[in-house]
Amino acid sequence: RQAPPERLRRVARGACIFARPRFIYPVTATLFRAVRRLVPLALLLALAPAIAQPAQPIEDDGPFLVGRTDVVFQDAVFGQGQIRGRIYYPATAAGVEAPPDAGSGPFPLVAFQHGYLGRPSNYDDLCTHIASWGFVVASTGTETGFFPNQRQYARDTRSLLYYVEDQSDAPGPLSGMVDDGPWAASGPSLGGGV
């Protein structure tokens, strides 16, 4: 039997762990790759408490009080006839016909379209909740019967949005309340389909 080289004898006796790089390299390379992947995760976990802020649950009301008003108008822009709706807006006090909080605005405009056989009053809590987060919500009150016309409903909603925007641009209770940016729309069932 031949004696092993001096370097291997040292490894065998525990004198030097790194004596044969070709034996150690796979271990150190794997370890290096693992550490390289874990360091960013460890840093993120270490900094997470400092970065994270407690979030307010979405089911809680937002920072604004909400007023609402019912509107009925003759559509002069698109000739849709008489349009009914309910407008919810951030206000200085909560309730019907409450004074708007124009000083904190302008706010984004959101259309809310009721579901089949619904009315704006069926969604008072939901629309009030949305408005409490800093939105002006225009809820269309047309097409409430058994055979609603979805296209007509969409046109009525468009007319209501233009009406609210026009009211925001003119002197009056909603003056300065609506942002000039893009509009949004939401609604369940029939309202979501429109």
Side-chain angles (χ1 to χ4, degrees):
R1 191 171 202 199
Q2 218 175 10
E6 181 59 30
R7 285 187 286 188
L8 285 180
R9 275 190 295 234
R10 283 185 290 176
V11 170
R13 284 181 274 156
C16 178
I17 275 186
F18 297 106
R20 296 284 302 229
R22 78 173 181 211
F23 293 126
I24 301 301
Y25 175 75
V27 173
T28 56
T30 303
L31 182 63
F32 177 74
R33 281 193 298 271
V35 168
R36 187 177 64 197
R37 290 182 181 139
L38 291 176
V39 166
L41 178 62
L43 286 173
L44 180 64
L45 291 175
L47 294 175
I51 296 171
Q53 297 178 0
Q56 182 174 3
I58 193 67
E59 63 270 8
D60 289 351
D61 287 335
F64 296 97
L65 297 172
V66 177
R68 79 166 198 254
T69 186
D70 291 326
V71 296
V72 178
F73 65 95
Q74 284 298 121
D75 178 26
V77 178
F78 300 105
Q80 291 299 110
Q82 187 179 46
I83 307 290
R84 292 179 313 283
R86 184 169 279 184
I87 314 301
Y88 306 83
Y89 50 87
T92 57
V96 179
E97 304 295 333
D101 187 3
S104 297
F107 303 100
L109 180 57
V110 177
F112 186 85
Q113 301 165 120
H114 62 76
Y116 181 68
L117 297 178
R119 300 187 178 286
S121 60
N122 298 126
Y123 300 96
D124 279 345
D125 291 340
L126 179 57
C127 291
T128 297
H129 181 75
I130 294 169
S132 76
W133 286 99
F135 295 92
V136 173
V137 181
S139 182
T140 310
T142 60
E143 300 299 318
T144 58
F146 282 105
F147 304 105
N149 182 327
Q150 285 187 321
R151 288 183 187 199
Q152 184 64 39
Y153 192 29
R155 290 183 198 111
D156 293 346
T157 300
R158 175 187 62 181
S159 296
L160 180 61
L161 290 171
Y162 273 94
Y163 172 81
V164 172
E165 188 174 74
D166 289 345
Q167 294 301 306
S168 179
D169 293 339
L174 293 176
S175 181
M177 289 294 290
V178 177
D179 185 29
D180 289 335
W183 298 335
S186 69
S189 183
L190 171 71
V194 173

